[in-house]
């Protein structure tokens, strides 16, 4: 809705005037992660516009959540490199499913928590960020994986999810407690998220 306001201003060439540009900056300051420090230094007296309130109490379509996670979610693997007394191999492997949003989207995060029923919402102590995170393995195998088997993710996020599921299977088998299994998990992890080579995927797409 805020994006549409900027579009309307630009359609009327308001961005070509100082006054119109300030209006656009004020709107942008209320969008996404706000504006950069560079813009703040260039434009003084920025006044954020009011964000439209969308009132809803539930997610009517699970594909909406799948689409949202395709853009905003993260499937990753934490391998504790310090020695762990709780495992025979000395390293702990943990799957994590996370979504991060600006703190002003608390209502959205609470809605997601209510929908899946097993979230913890964390507030960043230094930044205006919130994070929904699931790390409990039983919640991952009984809630998260079945959900995304029924509601497919889009794009490269689906590839990360499939690799994530491979690691979940290895953990279920107990392979993460062996040197060979741990090494296999390390290899899978290294090719996920920022480590993924997208050339073949983009050509196929």
């Amino acid at each position: 809705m805020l994006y549409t306001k900027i579009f309307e201003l630009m359609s009327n060439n308001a961005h070509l005037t100082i006054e119109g540009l300030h209006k656009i900056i004020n709107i942008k300051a209320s969008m996404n992660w706000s504006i950069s420090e560079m813009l703040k230094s260039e434009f003084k007296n920025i006044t954020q516009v009011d964000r439209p309130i969308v009132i809803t109490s539930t997610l009517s379509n699970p594909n909406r959540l799948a689409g949202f996670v395709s853009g905003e979610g993260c499937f990753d693997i934490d391998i504790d490199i310090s020695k762990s007394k709780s495992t025979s191999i000395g390293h702990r492997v943990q799957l994590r499913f996370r979504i991060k949003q600006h703190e002003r989207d608390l209502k959205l995060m609470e809605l997601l928590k209510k929908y899946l029923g097993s979230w913890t919402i964390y507030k960043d102590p230094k930044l205006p960020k919130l994070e929904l995170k699931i790390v409990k393995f039983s919640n991952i195998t009984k809630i998260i994986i079945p959900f995304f088997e029924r509601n497919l993710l889009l794009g490269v996020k689906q590839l990360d999810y499939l690799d994530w599921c491979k690691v979940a299977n290895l953990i279920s088998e107990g392979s993460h407690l062996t040197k060979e299994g741990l090494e296999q998990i390390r290899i899978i992890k290294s090719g996920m998220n920022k480590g993924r080579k997208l050339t073949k995927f983009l050509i196929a797409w």
Side-chain angles (χ1 to χ4, degrees):
M1 296 169 73
L2 292 175
Y3 182 86
T4 300
K5 289 185 177 181
I6 293 178
F7 173 78
E8 291 173 352
L9 286 168
M10 294 183 68
S11 295
N12 294 321
N13 292 324
H15 62 296
L16 301 179
T17 68
I18 294 298
E19 182 183 358
L21 190 58
H22 272 280
K23 287 182 179 179
I24 292 173
I25 294 297
N26 288 338
I27 296 172
K28 178 176 170 57
S30 294
M31 294 175 60
N32 303 315
W33 293 103
S34 190
I35 59 177
S36 66
E37 292 300 322
M38 182 183 71
L39 277 178
K40 289 179 181 178
S41 66
E42 293 292 331
F43 293 88
K44 307 299 182 182
N45 301 319
I46 295 173
T47 304
Q48 293 185 348
V49 302
D50 292 333
R51 287 167 59 86
I53 299 176
V54 180
I55 301 175
T56 181
S57 59
T58 185
L59 291 175
S60 58
N61 188 337
N63 286 314
R64 285 178 132 188
L65 176 55
F68 184 73
V69 171
S70 294
E72 302 291 337
C74 178
F75 300 90
D76 67 343
I77 303 160
D78 178 40
I79 301 178
D80 190 352
I81 59 175
S82 61
K83 288 296 182 179
S84 173
K85 296 180 181 180
S86 62
T87 62
S88 58
I89 199 172
H91 297 284
R92 178 181 58 83
V93 178
Q94 186 179 67
L95 294 178
R96 298 185 299 192
F97 175 48
R98 300 181 289 163
I99 296 176
K100 292 183 179 181
Q101 289 292 289
H102 196 281
E103 64 179 11
R104 63 185 169 222
D105 287 320
L106 176 61
K107 294 296 184 182
L108 169 63
M109 300 294 251
E110 290 176 341
L111 184 62
L112 296 176
K113 177 182 177 180
K114 176 182 176 182
Y115 188 82
L116 288 174
S118 61
W119 297 89
T120 299
I121 300 178
Y122 297 93
K123 171 68 174 71
D124 190 309
K126 297 181 179 179
L127 299 173
K129 293 182 180 181
L130 298 174
E131 180 182 71
L132 292 177
K133 180 164 64 173
I134 292 181
V135 296
K136 189 175 180 180
F137 191 68
S138 60
N139 287 338
I140 286 171
T141 57
K142 294 179 181 179
I143 298 175
I144 300 303
I145 290 178
F147 178 86
F148 290 111
E149 284 181 349
R150 297 189 303 269
N151 306 282
L152 297 182
L153 295 154
L154 301 175
V156 69
K157 195 72 66 177
Q158 173 71 0
L159 302 181
D160 288 330
Y161 165 73
L162 293 175
D163 281 343
W164 196 70
C165 289
K166 290 178 184 177
V167 176
N169 288 333
L170 290 170
I171 293 174
S172 295
E173 296 168 354
S175 298
H176 64 300
L177 300 177
T178 68
K179 290 183 178 180
E180 294 78 11
L182 183 62
E183 181 58 28
Q184 189 175 355
I185 291 172
R186 288 184 189 276
I187 293 172
I188 294 173
K189 173 182 168 66
S190 68
M192 293 174 60
N193 300 312
K194 293 182 179 180
R196 183 175 299 282
K197 295 181 180 180
L198 294 177
T199 305
K200 291 183 179 179
F201 170 74
L202 292 174
I203 291 174
W205 184 79

